[in-house]
Amino acid sequence: MKSSRYTFLILFISWTCFVIGCAVSAAYLNVSSQYEAQASEAVEAMQLRDSTTRSTADAIDMEIASAKQFMQEYYRYLQAGNREKLLELVEDKDSFYTFRELEHMTSYIEAYQNIRIYVEKADQADSYIVFVSYYTKLYDIDTGVPGVSQYYIQKNGTGWLIYNNSDHLSLKAQKAMKASLRITEIKTLIETTNRAYQQALGENDKLKEYFEESH
């Protein structure tokens, strides 16, 4: 009898422990499941944020690459004196070089060499301030003339337009153009170009005479 009670007691305790164990396990699994779900959601949120950041960065990189390609194209047409194509790339066609002005330029400019393009974000979306450094190769003069030009470009459908008339720029855009000149990299570029220009004039008398006559 004692043995039967003892056996029953053991079975009862075992069963009770089993029930409690199941309840604890169920609670643990429920909490664990909730935690895993929350953790999974957090990971997904982080991945989404990272993906968005990467997508934004990739989009900006693509825009900058497109802007650089556009400016390369502009200088190719400028070197060739192709006014018809150049007019497609500027916002104000009326204030662009006349046919005679462009013809005169191409008569003494043989090529634009070592072109480097620096792109800075402008005051609004789809707009950039561009600095182009280059060496101008003049006919019959071996020494290249270093120079830097600043542009304001804006998206135009799938392409770009150069705002070649400063009067067509907003006050905010004009301020952004001036502010970009204070960017450390750009300041260094302009200072370096000015020194190289003075050095070129000092080393080539023919070049110096040319600029003295043209001014």
Side-chain angles (χ1 to χ4, degrees), residues 49-186:
R49 183 179 62 187
D50 291 343
S51 175
T52 302
T53 302
R54 286 196 301 272
S55 296
T56 303
D58 290 345
I60 292 173
D61 288 343
M62 288 177 65
E63 275 198 348
I64 290 175
S66 173
K68 288 184 176 182
Q69 185 177 356
F70 167 77
M71 293 307 305
Q72 290 280 2
E73 184 178 44
Y74 174 81
Y75 272 84
R76 281 198 298 272
Y77 292 141
L78 193 62
Q79 180 174 312
N82 191 334
R83 189 171 185 272
E84 184 179 347
K85 284 293 186 180
L86 286 167
L87 288 177
E88 297 176 4
L89 309 182
V90 296
E91 183 268 338
D92 187 1
K93 296 172 175 50
D94 294 331
S95 64
F96 193 64
Y97 298 115
T98 65
F99 178 80
R100 285 188 177 182
E101 288 172 337
L102 198 59
E103 188 177 43
H104 177 65
M105 283 176 58
T106 54
S107 70
Y108 64 83
I109 296 177
E110 183 178 351
Y112 293 97
Q113 301 172 335
N114 198 27
I115 295 174
R116 295 187 179 182
I117 301 168
Y118 305 81
V119 181
E120 301 291 339
K121 197 72 186 74
D123 58 310
Q124 57 184 334
D126 298 332
S127 298
Y128 290 91
I129 296 167
V130 180
F131 291 86
V132 182
S133 71
Y134 48 83
Y135 278 80
T136 305
K137 173 66 175 66
L138 304 175
Y139 284 106
D140 301 324
I141 298 178
D142 294 332
T143 304
V145 185
V148 177
S149 296
Q150 182 188 37
Y151 301 89
Y152 186 97
I153 68 172
Q154 192 171 58
K155 259 296 184 58
N156 178 44
T158 57
W160 298 87
L161 280 180
I162 294 174
Y163 273 67
N164 54 310
N165 187 340
S166 59
D167 292 337
H168 290 190
L169 289 175
S170 66
L171 183 60
K172 190 176 179 182
Q174 292 180 38
K175 286 182 177 179
M177 290 277 280
K178 289 181 181 178
S180 67
L181 296 171
R182 295 194 294 272
I183 296 171
T184 302
E185 184 182 11
I186 299 304

